[in-house]
Amino acid sequence: MPTITDAVDIAKNQPLVQYSFELAWLDAQLDPLALLVKDAAAKFAWGGSVTTDWVRSYSNFNPTRAAYCVFVYERAKSSRHICLVELFAAPPATPNKTESPVIETPAGWIKISPLANDPALGTLASTLVLYPEAEVLRYRPYRRCTMRVQSSNIPARIIKVFHDHQGATVNENTVAAWEAKQRGELSFNVAAPLGWEPESRRLALGLVPGKPILQELLSAQGAALSERMGRACAEIAISGIKPVSVFDASSQMTRTREYADELTTLLPQLTDRIEALLNRLAVMHSAAGRNTLRPIHGSPHAHQWLQQGTTLGLVDFDRFGLGDPELDVATFLGEMDFERMQHSPAIAQAFQKGYEAVYGVLNPDLITAYRTHKRFAKVRRAAYKPSPKIPEKVLRHLLRTEECLGIK
């Protein structure tokens, strides 16, 4: 079985080879794109000061896409001034080069656009005009932009702009969670639904009060907080909420299969190894049988939690649906696997303990299966970070994924 030391051999004669120079250039210690973004931003007045640096905040490599690399750059200390950078192997067509200049580089042609010009988020420009003081919290090119809006005219809120109509489902699930909170079924705070606008593909949510808990969670006292979080999360599963979405074992296997297909396109020599892992997962889900699905958050990792005084808050019900409660626990445990902190194991155990104290005993094999899915998602993410070290990083995460199932 290959190990990390075989990374170079794994990459030979594979699709990654044709991008070896480009990936090395993009991964240079002194970011070669940052100065180009800075010059374009200054020329077209995207963010003011010519002397202000721009930093890379997101990157994605996908050789099957016309723009084989996509980046997000933000002006230092600013959440408003953001640029989308697309890298093409051939010169792209652009209707207005004054708004989105195209520049030739050693790695191909880059197209630099202001945030508002995302080609898949057609209503983002009008949203930014409507909310000129918006603070962008999270932007994923072609998919979604989440921002905080606060002005003298309206109460503070979260605005999400989608590329499709997924926001309608998120809105329905948000309403369901909010109504459960009003019925007293949830002890923690959730966002108030403020409406979905299908024409603008824009979702509005109330702010959940509180501050992020990650720093306190990872402290020596974090286990007690984690147990409270587990208890709170389990309240969802025993509530009367009826989500409109379903995210069961079959859905998770479908998603992991998609990730596997993408990985084996990049690194075909890993096909047998990845197939063996997916077969083991399928057997585990089959052995677990058909369980009664319960409402679950879908992604209750540590970054989704807030705390105001002694009251917790939980945000982002985007993956809210009917599923196995083991998925929520495994999601939290899976994230703790990658928090290389001394107290992480105790924090993870405390979350499961708190969850089971409210919900009841969970299936440990099903937790392991879902935890493996979460680790495999890390494998896939490692493959899509533009770097010549992709094979090494993929193998490192694949080893950890196999360890979760006891594969040696």
Side-chain angles (χ1 to χ4, degrees), residues 209-282:
K211 297 180 179 179
I213 54 84
L214 187 60
Q215 184 174 355
E216 181 180 349
L217 182 67
L218 295 177
S219 71
Q221 294 75 40
L225 174 58
S226 182
E227 184 172 351
R228 287 177 52 220
M229 292 162 61
R231 287 175 173 273
C233 193
E235 293 173 3
I236 300 172
I238 64 173
S239 73
I241 306 174
K242 296 180 179 179
V244 297
S245 305
V246 174
F247 195 63
D248 56 8
S250 176
S251 302
Q252 180 66 79
M253 281 297 298
T254 298
R255 175 176 289 182
T256 299
R257 164 52 63 191
E258 292 172 355
Y259 294 166
D261 291 344
E262 293 172 358
L263 281 165
T264 54
T265 298
L266 282 180
L267 297 167
Q269 291 187 20
L270 290 177
T271 298
D272 290 346
R273 192 168 171 181
I274 290 173
E275 287 301 319
L277 188 145
L278 263 65
N279 288 338
R280 180 78 69 89
L281 280 172

Side-chain angles (χ1 to χ4, degrees), residues 174 177-182 186 188-193 206-209 236 312-315 317:
T174 301
W178 175 256
E179 290 176 346
K181 171 65 177 177
Q182 307 315 302
L186 305 178
F188 53 91
N189 290 320
V190 297
L207 286 182
V208 177
I236 300 172
L312 293 170
L314 184 57
V315 301
F317 278 69

Side-chain angles (χ1 to χ4, degrees), residues 44-65:
F44 298 107
W46 303 333
S49 173
V50 176
T51 61
T52 302
D53 289 331
W54 290 73
V55 294
R56 185 185 298 182
S57 60
Y58 171 84
S59 60
N60 181 269
F61 166 68
N62 186 341
T64 67
R65 189 175 51 207

